[in-house]
Amino acid sequence: TESSTSWKTSKESTREFLEMMREIHENSGSLGFPSGIHEIDQQTGGLAPGDFWVVAAPSSCGKTMLMIQICNHFHVEGKNVLIFSFETNSAKIITRMVANRSNIDSKTILGKGDEKLTAGDMMQIRSKTESIMKSDAITICDNYDLTLESMMGIATQLREAGRKIDIIAVDYIQLVSLSSNEGL
């Protein structure tokens, strides 16, 4: 049910509510796709189409890792992921994804930890990396000076090129600007 205006009558809103209830209780039991983190999914019902989540916390509290875990889960479940990163380059995002999937500390993968990679670790890293590459379902844009309009343009270009987008993640949304601040 969609209103032809920016407002909805009680009849339209009630129809949407009833449709939502039917969807929840007759189909999946939830409107959203699981984030892969049980505690979050219990509270939110997962990430539903059209949802806009903002995760805020002080620096170095794990916001980027949370985003990567959710994107990783989407990808493992066959979903397509678009990541805009204003802080972390694409190689380090893949490093964190591989670390998350293989249960190997990313510091060890990057040669910064006290532990050395074993031959088994290298096999796991290669396997997880090949899986990500073969699926070609993760798109990372690590250009640090994108505007909101250019991000929307990139998403549109990807869709027009036939790439489905199931989730868009923006790491450090505070750094996103508008191309024109006129009229604001």
Side-chain angles (χ1 to χ4, degrees):
T1 307
E2 190 170 306
S3 176
S4 60
T5 66
S6 60
W7 49 267
K8 295 175 183 167
T9 66
S10 59
K11 191 175 194 178
E12 291 167 323
S13 297
T14 304
R15 281 189 196 134
E16 284 185 19
F17 167 75
L18 293 172
E19 178 61 27
M20 178 185 72
M21 291 296 293
R22 186 188 64 71
E23 180 69 26
I24 290 171
H25 295 285
E26 290 179 10
N27 294 330
S28 65
S30 172
L31 283 179
F33 187 81
S35 69
I37 302 167
H38 180 71
E39 294 80 7
I40 291 175
D41 295 334
Q42 277 189 308
Q43 297 297 315
T44 64
L47 291 104
D51 275 3
F52 180 75
W53 287 18
V54 176
V55 177
S59 293
S60 300
C61 286
K63 299 178 297 292
T64 299
M65 196 60 226
L66 176 63
M67 175 199 75
I68 288 171
Q69 282 181 272
I70 292 170
C71 289
N72 231 350
H73 178 72
F74 265 65
H75 182 256
V76 166
E77 294 297 320
K79 302 293 183 181
N80 293 282
V81 177
L82 171 57
I83 299 172
F84 291 101
S85 178
F86 290 82
E87 275 197 319
T88 309
N89 69 39
S90 65
K92 287 199 176 159
I93 290 171
I94 296 297
T95 300
R96 289 180 175 187
M97 288 182 149
V98 169
N100 183 260
R101 290 181 189 198
S102 62
N103 291 318
I104 300 170
D105 191 307
S106 62
K107 288 180 183 175
T108 303
I109 291 174
L110 295 171
K112 295 180 180 180
D114 294 332
E115 296 184 32
K116 300 290 181 197
L117 292 171
T118 66
D121 292 340
M122 291 302 292
M123 284 178 42
Q124 268 202 74
I125 291 167
R126 187 174 301 114
S127 170
K128 304 303 180 193
T129 304
E130 287 173 0
S131 170
I132 290 169
M133 189 183 315
K134 185 177 179 182
S135 74
D136 195 29
I138 298 174
T139 303
I140 302 171
C141 187
D142 60 3
N143 184 341
Y144 301 120
D145 62 355
L146 293 174
T147 64
L148 179 61
E149 293 85 355
S150 62
M151 292 167 60
M152 291 169 50
I154 289 167
T156 299
Q157 287 174 339
L158 290 170
R159 279 197 327 265
E160 288 173 354
R163 288 186 78 98
K164 186 176 180 206
I165 301 171
D166 295 300
I167 186 171
I168 297 174
V170 181
D171 189 18
Y172 214 159
I173 200 162
Q174 297 92 322
L175 297 177
V176 177
S177 62
L178 297 174
S179 63
S180 171
N181 291 332
E182 290 180 31
L184 295 181

